[in-house]
Amino acid sequence: MRRAARLGSGAAAVVPRSRSWGLTSRPGFIKNYKKAQSNNGQQASFHSRPKLDSPAEATVIGGPSPLPEVELPDIPETPTKNKRVTIGEILERRRRAGRLVAPTAAGCDSGVFKGDSSGKPMAKDMSHHLSYEASIREPCKLKQAARHLKTPGIISLGGGLPCPEYFPINSISLSVPDYLHNPTLSPPEVHPAFQDITIGKYDTHPSAPVQKEYDLSISLNYAQAHGSAQLIRFVTEHTELVSNPPYADWKTCLTVGSTGALEQTLRMLCDSSRNDSILTEEFSFATALETAHPLGIPTFGVPIDEQGLIPSELDHILSTWSPSERDNKRKPHVLYTVPSGQNPTGATQGPERRRQIYDICSKHDLVIIEDEPYYYLQLPPTITPTPTPAPSNTTDFLDSLLPTLLSMDTDGRVIRMDSFSKVLVPGSRLGWLTASDQLVERFLRHAEVANQGPSGFSQVILHKLLDETWGHEGYLKWLMVLQREYTERRNTLLKACEEYLPKEVVSWGVVRAGMFQWLHLDHTLHPDSRTKSILEIEEEIFESCIDKGVLIARGSWFRAQQEVAPTGLFFRATFAAATPGNMTEAIRRLGGAVRESFRL
């Protein structure tokens, strides 16, 4: 029989019986995980002024007293249809819950902000994927102690949290475009309606003119590594809108951007002492490769096509893996991939391609790191003669998005990394991670003694913008604006390529997402191909570009296996920031450098 669990939304959730975790080889991890699980019930009550439909719900969110155990009938552990969660359902949950109350350093379990998970399976045991470092991490004692600050009437002489009276910032004011109430989907520079918003130091105090949920006195103090409950609520709900993971015990936590999250994740999963390695696209995000290398974790490239990773090649590599032929590295158990607008190639995995990749990873028991900074920058497949109509409302926009690997994950083997860097501001250094409860818990044990979570400035500003001002509807409209803007930028670059690049030696495709255009140069047609290596020809063209006043990324920078000689000549151009005129001029200069090198 199963028992009811407490949810901050004010409703008792039906939680399926957990699968066995089998953590007998990690006693320290067992103890830590059980400790974390036992704390969950104490953290479930975040809301005040609930609107209740029954006395039973009052028991659920009425305070720290334990919820009486209620026997519930067994439900088979088979996943239900992964139906779309709507903004209306989320708003109703919030209405029932009342105002969120999460004071300084409040502990938070993102599960309290999710909808009903009845009938969904629990994640499979992934403990055998953990590194030794991850398995022995203990909870930070001071962070755990701070969770008691929510106890009514408590006087703290425990933690060294400075008094907010001494914070020399009384308020922060912002001017932002109004995408919630104004239907004009225009970029910020020409948006007709702006609104001024202010964040005060004591906006949550009962004496405030309008009592808010988050303010500077909370955000600028020390906090839990998982981030503020206020912003975790928003990203958890957003994850439901987009992916609605089909297993029960998924969680979210905030990160200091995806690069920092990747470093922590690699350390959580990989051990150089046991000869671990990871798989990725044969051309992959250079910073990801540079993150893995100092950890002693080599990367092996999987061949790609216009849709990114080729499933049959991935399966072949795993099925025929031989340590003796791979520098004594054991069979990889981690795949790092950027499914949408892949950096650097711009390739985007279609729905069937994603399903095939997930199934192969499940077959070979791989953890998938789904890094998706460009996911919302999905672009129409053609530019002429009749471009694909853009979505006209947020429901159509959500329906138009490609399915995420997370939305297919019934095992709990996907670790998805989302970021605000490409869709809001990179300087926020703020994103979030979604994974199974056990993996998020291990991730947070590292964060507690490393970065301790994202900047409070970033959290409170983005909460004010996304949650208080725009809401989910306004944020999705903003993403629709970005989609249209990047479509125009891509089209400008492609038209310049058509006009100025010598098509007899340069080829390219129409990127479906992101901000990068991958250019293939046929090195076999180069007049010096018999006497110069690919890297030498690449360097010659690169230096010529610099001399002509254009910077373009060399394809060799992104090779997953730097020790292997390249077999093709590539360059990466971005349409992210240059003005249309400058973009066109840059491609003209690139074309000149290519013509000179190939003597055309």
Side-chain angles (χ1 to χ4, degrees):
M1 304 292 286
R2 294 169 300 110
R3 302 184 186 278
R6 301 197 302 174
L7 285 183
S9 63
V14 178
V15 180
R17 181 188 293 119
S18 175
R19 297 177 184 173
S20 172
W21 277 33
L23 299 175
T24 54
S25 63
R26 298 272 202 276
F29 180 46
I30 297 174
K31 179 177 67 175
N32 295 341
Y33 185 75
K34 287 183 176 178
K35 187 183 298 182
Q37 289 291 81
S38 67
N39 285 337
N40 284 348
Q42 299 175 15
Q43 298 172 32
S45 182
F46 283 106
H47 299 84
S48 69
R49 299 188 288 105
K51 296 177 174 64
L52 303 174
D53 292 338
S54 70
E57 291 174 345
T59 306
V60 172
I61 64 171
S65 57
L67 175 70
E69 295 183 341
V70 180
E71 297 293 340
L72 299 170
D74 285 326
I75 294 178
E77 293 188 12
T78 55
T80 58
K81 183 179 179 181
N82 198 21
K83 79 176 190 70
R84 166 67 50 82
V85 175
T86 68
I87 294 176
E89 290 171 342
I90 288 172
L91 294 177
E92 175 59 19
R93 284 209 308 259
R94 287 200 183 196
R95 185 194 68 79
R96 288 166 54 86
R99 190 176 70 87
L100 178 64
V101 178
T104 302
C108 169
D109 177 352
S110 65
V112 304
F113 303 124
K114 289 161 38 178
D116 184 15
S117 295
S118 327
K120 292 182 178 181
M122 302 296 279
K124 289 183 178 179
D125 171 22
M126 295 290 160
S127 62
H128 57 288
H129 288 290
L130 296 174
S131 66
Y132 176 73
E133 174 188 355
S135 69
I136 64 172
R137 288 192 182 277
E138 296 280 349
C140 174
K141 295 179 177 61
L142 292 175
K143 295 292 186 186
Q144 295 294 308
R147 296 171 185 267
H148 295 291
L149 293 175
K150 65 178 171 46
T151 304
I154 198 167
I155 300 174
S156 175
L157 301 179
L161 280 72
C163 177
E165 293 177 11
Y166 303 137
F167 297 169
I169 299 173
N170 195 57
S171 66
I172 297 175
S173 296
L174 308 167
S175 180
V176 299
D178 183 0
Y179 285 110
L180 177 59
H181 302 103
N182 192 296
T184 304
L185 294 179
S186 55
E189 293 299 319
V190 296
H191 195 75
F194 272 72
Q195 57 188 129
D196 295 327
I197 55 179
T198 301
I199 309 166
K201 185 185 288 188
Y202 300 112
D203 286 347
T204 64
H205 194 273
S207 63
V210 178
Q211 193 175 10
K212 303 293 186 179
E213 296 179 337
Y214 202 25
D215 62 18
L216 297 179
S217 73
I218 298 172
S219 63
L220 299 190
N221 218 316
Y222 286 113
Q224 296 291 332
H226 49 56
S228 66
Q230 292 87 344
L231 196 52
I232 284 179
R233 177 181 62 179
F234 184 88
V235 301
T236 300
E237 293 167 348
H238 182 79
T239 299
E240 282 188 303
L241 288 171
V242 174
S243 296
N244 193 17
Y247 66 97
D249 52 333
W250 61 273
K251 297 290 177 67
T252 65
C253 68
L254 301 186
T255 65
V256 186
S258 292
T259 302
L262 177 62
E263 193 267 349
Q264 285 183 226
T265 301
L266 291 179
R267 288 177 61 176
M268 179 174 74
L269 298 174
C270 299
D271 254 335
S272 60
S273 62
R274 64 184 182 191
N275 291 322
D276 280 347
S277 61
I278 64 174
L279 294 177
T280 186
E281 290 89 352
E282 61 179 326
F283 292 93
S284 189
F285 179 37
T287 304
L289 304 176
E290 293 158 354
T291 299
H293 178 72
L295 299 176
I297 309 301
T299 53
F300 292 96
V302 179
I304 60 175
D305 61 14
E306 68 280 357
Q307 285 194 57
L309 281 170
I310 301 174
S312 60
E313 296 286 354
L314 175 63
D315 188 47
H316 177 74
I317 289 173
L318 291 166
S319 299
T320 62
W321 187 271
S322 172
S324 62
E325 298 174 0
R326 300 279 189 170
D327 196 26
N328 292 320
K329 300 304 177 185
R330 70 178 187 136
K331 181 178 175 180
H333 68 107
V334 176
L335 171 68
Y336 170 78
T337 182
V338 181
S340 307
Q342 196 259 351
N343 186 357
T345 67
T348 296
Q349 300 167 11
E352 183 58 29
R353 177 68 59 93
R354 296 178 192 230
R355 168 55 65 184
Q356 291 171 347
I357 290 171
Y358 180 83
D359 289 344
I360 290 167
C361 290
S362 183
K363 169 185 173 182
H364 292 279
D365 191 24
L366 269 66
V367 173
I368 304 171
I369 302 175
E370 181 185 19
D371 189 3
E372 279 284 38
Y374 315 106
Y375 177 74
Y376 299 101
L377 305 181
Q378 295 180 29
L379 313 175
T382 59
I383 61 173
T384 56
T386 53
T388 304
S392 59
N393 56 65
T394 56
T395 300
D396 289 346
F397 174 71
L398 287 171
D399 288 339
S400 73
L401 296 175
L402 289 163
T404 66
L405 289 169
L406 181 65
S407 71
M408 305 173 182
D409 185 20
T410 53
D411 295 341
R413 67 177 63 255
V414 173
I415 300 175
R416 180 179 167 94
M417 296 176 181
D418 281 281
S419 173
F420 290 117
S421 293
K422 300 301 189 293
V423 296
L424 286 176
V425 285
S428 68
R429 304 316 308 139
L430 182 58
W432 75 96
L433 178 147
T434 307
S436 69
D437 189 3
Q438 61 171 304
L439 293 178
V440 170
E441 189 271 340
R442 291 290 87 195
F443 182 91
L444 288 175
R445 296 292 80 82
H446 185 175
E448 285 175 341
V449 295
N451 51 59
Q452 297 194 46
S455 161
F457 283 106
S458 294
Q459 292 190 63
V460 74
I461 289 173
L462 290 194
H463 172 267
K464 188 74 175 183
L465 174 66
L466 298 176
D467 195 282
E468 276 194 29
T469 307
W470 282 354
H472 290 291
E473 181 78 13
Y475 180 49
L476 292 174
K477 288 181 178 178
W478 164 249
L479 295 176
M480 292 167 64
V481 170
L482 286 185
Q483 189 181 77
R484 295 182 182 187
E485 290 294 302
Y486 275 93
T487 296
E488 292 183 9
R489 287 181 160 275
R490 179 206 62 181
N491 294 350
T492 297
L493 187 79
L494 287 174
K495 290 174 182 176
C497 289
E498 286 286 342
E499 184 173 357
Y500 293 112
L501 295 184
K503 290 186 278 295
E504 59 268 38
V505 296
V506 186
S507 60
W508 59 89
V510 178
V511 294
R512 294 291 313 278
M515 51 181 59
F516 301 113
Q517 184 66 54
W518 193 235
L519 304 171
H520 177 213
L521 281 63
D522 189 345
H523 69 281
T524 64
L525 299 179
H526 194 280
D528 299 328
S529 61
R530 295 180 179 273
T531 58
K532 289 185 177 181
S533 69
I534 291 175
L535 292 178
E536 288 173 326
I537 297 172
E538 179 193 65
E539 182 175 8
E540 175 187 302
I541 296 173
F542 177 78
E543 294 297 338
S544 178
C545 285
I546 296 298
D547 291 341
K548 293 179 183 299
V550 59
L551 177 62
I552 191 166
R554 297 169 61 167
S556 64
W557 294 344
F558 304 94
R559 289 180 298 137
Q561 294 171 252
Q562 290 287 323
E563 71 282 2
V564 177
T567 58
L569 177 58
F570 301 91
F571 285 93
R572 189 200 74 177
T574 178
F575 46 89
T579 64
N582 284 343
M583 207 183 306
T584 300
E585 174 61 18
I587 293 298
R588 188 191 68 79
R589 295 175 185 180
L590 170 63
V594 172
R595 284 188 171 86
E596 284 184 11
S597 181
F598 278 78
R599 299 173 203 148
L600 299 175

